[in-house]
Amino acid sequence: MSGLLVAGTTSDAGKSVVTTGLCRAFARRGVKVVPYKAQNMSNNSMVCAGPDGKSAEIGRAQWVQALAARVTPEPAMNPVLLKPGSDRRSHVVLMGHPAGEVSSHDWEEGRRHLATAAHAAYDDLASRFEVIVAEGAGSPAEINLRAGDYVNMGLARHAGLPTVVVGDIDRGGVFAAMYGTLALLEPEDQALISGFVINKFRGDARLLKPGLDSLESLTQRRVFGVLPWEPSLWLDSEDALDLEGRRAPAGATRKVAVVRLPRISNFTDVDALGLEPDLDVVFASSPADVADADLIVLPGTRSTISDLAWLRSRGLDVAILEHVRRGRPLLGICGGFQMLGGVIADPDGVEGSVAEVEGLGLLDVRTDFAPAKNLRLPTGSALGVEASGYEIHHGRITRGDGVAEFLGGAQAGNVFGTMWHGSLEGDALRGAFLAATLGREPSSVSFSAARERRLDLIGDLVEEHLDVDALLDLAVSPVGRAASAGGGTER
């Protein structure tokens, strides 16, 4: 098997960036490369086609990494997706389809079958591609979870993968984190650690060199490079850790307030708005944050009913109603759209114990949750232009007589609701929507071109600052190459 595991000292250390950059760099060299993440915990997901032709759901990050690798996204790239429903319980998506739940009290035992499926998916990819760039999750040194791990060193052991550990120097303590990560591992796991990558460095590289030399001497592993701090670099993210990275440059004249729901999902829906030069996209959690907004967006959520209760507890419901009363536009997407309607019913307890609540009453729509998840890649038209998107939801809506159809949802006056995620990525639809709501002329911004530029930027950074040839050689060398890098470290 030929592959490489990109692990990290922490969550958000830069694993996704390095994985994405290596996928693009290897693809540029003509390598048939594919991304993989055994288990993703994220409410940001995407719909793709499964091997059976049916729509399937995978993590958004792996979908983007597939684009970087110039391959078609598929469920095997992210065989296990956990979607947090509460602090202690997550909904399981296995090979693209719902597969029950896992909770904190049965975390290890409840995931055993997931490990088998994840490793089978890896083996399937390995039979069809030349190199797999696998992304870990969290830290490989989470020793309390090591016995049931199949995402980090458990995967590395399964496939004999050399492992590179990424650390975010902007957080501080990166050398201790890297050395400590290695030191905490079992000897068999240590043997698979091949080296390190420093991420988000800003300053004079000469000041960093003594630390790099010491790290290499202490661990007998090499540092494969140092990625610089790049403020314009961001990706379709796995979680809400980097929501504030979507601000527009100075000079934006219109404010778009996106309500930061506790269980926000698919917030990448607003990324395209963030590219518009005159729009400042901000994430809001109080009435004051939305008071001066030109447009409010209620995004998707994994828990519509509980997030609606949170909205009301903050007084945001009153602020939203006042926004609409003043004639300003409002857009709800999926769960956010369902909040804008009348009754929201959940008789089967799909989301929890609350069976029925009243929505905000801004649209004549009823929502009924059903156990079966709806996964689709719809196409159609709205506002006089063609449109497309993707659907991931349990809620079934019924429109009343007081609304018009809008992208699988409803519209009345200046209130719009859609079940389609990703529709604003369509340049024509985004332009028509902003013209209808804010009275502005469509811009020349191309979202797909912007995404491709971002992927190329990440590829360029990896090419310039990491030893890509050495990493590719590492990925395709025989099993045991990591052990020859220098043995273990003191424990």
Side-chain angles (χ1 to χ4, degrees):
M1 298 180 182
S2 295
L4 181 72
L5 174 64
V6 179
T9 56
T10 63
S11 294
D12 205 35
K15 297 185 294 290
S16 293
V17 168
V18 173
T19 300
T20 304
L22 288 177
C23 282
R24 176 51 56 99
F26 291 169
R28 286 172 174 173
R29 285 162 167 72
V31 177
K32 191 178 179 184
V33 59
V34 63
Y36 171 86
K37 187 161 185 172
Q39 175 190 289
N40 206 338
M41 180 172 280
S42 175
N43 278 327
N44 263 9
S45 57
M46 184 63 185
V47 176
C48 64
D52 55 1
K54 297 180 180 179
S55 294
E57 183 180 5
I58 65 172
R60 182 83 176 194
Q62 282 62 63
W63 184 84
V64 171
Q65 287 164 357
L67 300 187
R70 296 173 177 154
V71 296
T72 302
E74 60 173 285
M77 296 174 185
N78 176 210
V80 180
L81 175 62
L82 302 182
K83 307 191 78 171
S86 69
D87 290 339
R88 296 189 177 186
R89 185 172 294 275
S90 293
H91 301 269
V92 178
V93 178
L94 181 61
M95 289 299 291
H97 299 286
E101 295 184 335
V102 64
S103 65
S104 57
H105 76 270
D106 66 347
W107 183 250
E108 185 175 329
E109 186 63 31
R111 298 191 311 154
R112 292 191 186 279
H113 70 293
L114 303 181
T116 300
H119 289 169
Y122 181 95
D123 296 344
D124 174 48
L125 290 175
S127 72
R128 296 185 282 122
F129 291 89
E130 294 175 335
V131 171
I132 297 176
V133 182
E135 179 182 340
S139 163
E142 292 167 349
I143 52 179
N144 56 314
L145 303 176
R146 177 61 184 91
D149 170 50
Y150 61 91
V151 187
N152 293 305
M153 303 317 297
L155 172 66
R157 289 255 207 120
H158 168 77
L161 293 178
T163 301
V164 176
V165 178
V166 181
D168 180 354
I169 197 170
D170 198 54
R171 293 170 180 257
V174 71
F175 295 116
M178 287 180 160
Y179 183 85
T181 296
L182 182 62
L184 283 171
L185 299 179
E186 301 170 1
E188 293 84 355
D189 289 344
Q190 287 182 344
L192 292 167
I193 302 295
S194 298
F196 307 96
V197 169
I198 303 285
N199 188 34
K200 294 185 183 178
F201 177 71
R202 37 184 161 185
D204 189 339
R206 292 173 297 181
L207 298 176
L208 192 61
K209 189 175 187 306
L212 302 180
D213 292 342
S214 294
L215 181 66
E216 290 187 332
S217 176
L218 286 166
T219 65
Q220 292 296 291
R221 271 89 173 165
R222 67 167 294 187
V223 176
F224 287 97
V226 178
L227 289 173
W229 171 266
E230 175 52 65
S232 64
L233 188 154
W234 53 267
L235 284 170
D236 305 51
S237 303
E238 292 180 350
D239 51 40
L241 292 175
D242 69 342
L243 285 179
E244 302 309 318
R246 286 159 163 74
R247 298 299 300 272
T253 58
R254 305 290 186 92
K255 177 179 176 179
V256 179
V258 183
V259 179
R260 186 171 183 163
L261 300 167
R263 300 293 173 189
I264 189 171
S265 68
N266 294 83
F267 56 81
T268 49
D269 283 334
V270 301
D271 281 355
L273 295 177
L275 292 177
E276 296 291 343
D278 61 334
L279 300 184
D280 187 18
V281 178
V282 302
F283 284 82
S285 56
S286 72
D289 294 337
V290 303
D292 60 344
D294 296 284
L295 168 67
I296 293 178
V297 178
L298 266 178
T301 168
R302 190 63 189 81
S303 299
T304 303
I305 293 176
S306 63
D307 277 5
L308 177 58
W310 172 89
L311 194 84
R312 286 178 163 136
S313 73
R314 291 291 188 104
L316 277 161
D317 58 330
V318 176
I320 290 170
L321 293 172
E322 175 61 18
H323 174 90
V324 173
R325 189 193 66 78
R326 294 166 64 187
R328 294 181 177 179
L330 171 66
L331 172 65
I333 304 173
C334 199
F337 157 48
Q338 294 163 2
M339 293 181 189
L340 303 182
V343 172
I344 303 172
D346 186 12
D348 296 304
V350 173
E351 286 198 343
S353 59
V354 179
E356 185 172 301
V357 297
E358 288 290 329
L360 299 182
L362 290 169
L363 291 172
D364 185 9
V365 169
R366 176 188 173 92
T367 299
D368 291 277
F369 283 98
K373 182 180 287 188
N374 195 351
L375 300 173
R376 293 181 60 232
L377 290 166
T379 59
S381 63
L383 304 175
V385 299
E386 293 184 354
S388 62
Y390 59 100
E391 292 185 29
I392 305 174
H393 57 87
H394 288 274
R396 272 58 170 172
I397 66 146
T398 304
R399 282 183 292 272
D401 295 334
V403 295
E405 194 277 339
F406 177 73
L407 298 179
Q411 182 248 327
N414 59 335
V415 179
F416 296 78
T418 175
M419 294 300 288
W420 295 10
H421 294 289
S423 60
L424 293 175
E425 295 177 11
D427 301 330
L429 188 279
R430 186 175 67 257
F433 175 75
L434 293 175
T437 55
L438 300 181
R440 66 188 287 281
E441 291 296 319
S443 71
S444 59
V445 171
S446 167
F447 182 82
S448 60
R451 171 182 279 146
E452 188 63 21
R453 285 195 301 271
R454 290 202 300 268
L455 294 176
D456 273 335
L457 170 61
I458 295 171
D460 292 345
L461 286 171
V462 164
E463 295 266 19
E464 181 179 355
H465 297 282
L466 303 188
D467 191 340
V468 174
D469 290 333
L471 290 167
L472 181 56
D473 287 343
L474 192 67
V476 300
S477 295
V479 174
R481 51 203 178 275
S484 66
T489 189
E490 294 182 8
R491 293 171 58 84

